[in-house]
Amino acid sequence: MKSKFFKSVAAASMAVLVVGATAGSSLAQSLLEKAEAGEAIRIGFANEIPFAYPGDDGSPKGFVNVMTIGILKQMGYENIEAVQTEWGGLIPGLNANRFDIVTGGMNILASRCENIAFSEPIATVGDGFIVAPGNPKNIGNYESLNEASAIMVTGAGYSNIEAAKGAGVPEASIMQVPGPTEILAAVRAGRADAGAGTYFTMKQLADSSNGTVEATDPTAMPEESFNWAGIGFRKSDQEFLDKFNAALKEYVGSEGMMSAVAEYGYAEASLPGDQTTEWVCANR
């Protein structure tokens, strides 16, 4: 068994330096070839609690990282590097070989399926909002944003942008920021009426805000706003992805997995069910 280590890279620019040191050999290899040769598998993620984020020591935390590492371990791979970047840099960074797998808790969407390959679903993910205490503009779903003439803030590259536009929210009413910290800051400061993201993330922001914001009821969201999260790969690494999916099938929902992800709020209701990535790519 290969030795286990994690190497944290604090920003995308640093990640480029790490890659540059080995570019001559790694770029010519497929992920399967690299892994079988004992080279590090680099997992890329943004600071998206509770999906994926760096711990105080730089180690990869969050339920998507835990699941990915668990699956890789089941496959026999334990030499893993953690590469943190901004959300908007995940797909470009993957395709630029800055890392090998995206573990950021990314929803599977048709637009993303055009650019990368996803694993089979690992979680069912609903959207949610954070709002001022008491929800003064009565925001519960994307349509209500229009009714209230509200400003929505969300992360650059988040699926919430497409969902809001699909509900008729004008682009001028959608503020884009780097990630959750900035979403919370915009709502707290009154620069936005609602912060949008996955319910997992919005609930965590609300719980950590000392009462300055609250999370809305996720059941008010329309069924079509529910998504499935997957783990991202380069399309050229389909052979590795096939092996990964085989291990994923045995791992997801297992007693060991459920125990490992419980601390992040992942429960039986979060399991992906029988939906396939092929279906999700065609319908989301």
Side-chain angles (χ1 to χ4, degrees), residues 152-234:
M152 182 190 90
V153 61
T154 192
Y158 281 22
S159 60
N160 308 87
I161 298 168
E162 290 184 24
K165 288 181 177 179
V169 178
E171 191 162 354
S173 296
I174 302 173
M175 182 190 304
Q176 297 185 42
V177 296
T181 301
E182 294 80 9
I183 292 173
L184 177 59
V187 177
R188 272 177 160 170
R191 291 183 289 111
D193 301 300
T198 67
Y199 180 70
F200 274 115
T201 301
M202 296 303 102
K203 182 68 165 59
Q204 188 278 329
L205 290 179
D207 289 346
S208 66
S209 74
N210 294 318
T212 57
V213 301
E214 64 182 51
T216 60
D217 180 1
T219 63
M221 289 292 188
E223 184 180 346
E224 59 267 22
S225 72
F226 283 79
N227 289 284
W228 288 264
I231 298 163
F233 295 80
R234 286 182 290 272

Side-chain angles (χ1 to χ4, degrees), residues 12 15 25-26 29 40 81 83 90 115 121 130 180-181 186 212 219 231 237 242 246-247 254-255 260 264 274 276:
S25 61
S26 64
Q29 291 178 302
E81 281 184 11
V83 183
L90 288 174
N115 296 303
I130 53 169
T181 301
T212 57
T219 63
I231 298 163
D237 286 321
D242 289 342
S254 67
E255 183 177 344
Y264 302 109
D274 297 328
T276 66

Side-chain angles (χ1 to χ4, degrees), residues 137 139 144-152 169 173-174 193-194:
K137 290 203 171 183
I139 294 166
S144 67
L145 293 167
N146 268 336
E147 295 166 4
S149 299
I151 299 296
M152 182 190 90
V169 178
S173 296
I174 302 173
D193 301 300

Side-chain angles (χ1 to χ4, degrees), residues 18-31 33-34 37 39-40 42 97:
V18 173
V19 175
T22 59
S25 61
S26 64
L27 293 184
Q29 291 178 302
S30 70
L31 178 54
E33 290 170 335
K34 284 179 56 180
E39 295 185 33
R42 294 162 295 164
N97 294 287

Side-chain angles (χ1 to χ4, degrees), residues 16-124:
V16 174
L17 296 177
V18 173
V19 175
T22 59
S25 61
S26 64
L27 293 184
Q29 291 178 302
S30 70
L31 178 54
L32 183 60
E33 290 170 335
K34 284 179 56 180
E36 289 299 314
E39 295 185 33
I41 297 172
R42 294 162 295 164
I43 58 173
F45 55 92
N47 188 4
E48 296 285 335
I49 301 171
F51 293 90
Y53 60 96
D56 292 339
D57 60 354
S59 60
K61 303 294 185 181
F63 73 79
V64 184
N65 276 334
V66 166
M67 293 170 74
T68 303
I69 292 165
I71 293 166
L72 292 173
K73 182 177 180 180
Q74 190 165 299
M75 295 169 70
Y77 307 125
E78 296 192 25
N79 186 359
I80 298 165
E81 281 184 11
V83 183
Q84 185 193 349
T85 187
E86 290 188 353
W87 180 269
L90 288 174
I91 290 178
L94 177 67
N95 285 326
N97 294 287
R98 293 173 189 158
F99 32 84
D100 303 303
I101 302 174
V102 168
T103 63
M106 189 170 283
N107 286 343
I108 303 168
L109 299 175
S111 57
R112 291 172 178 163
C113 294
E114 293 177 0
N115 296 303
I116 64 173
F118 281 99
S119 70
E120 290 302 317
I122 60 166
T124 303

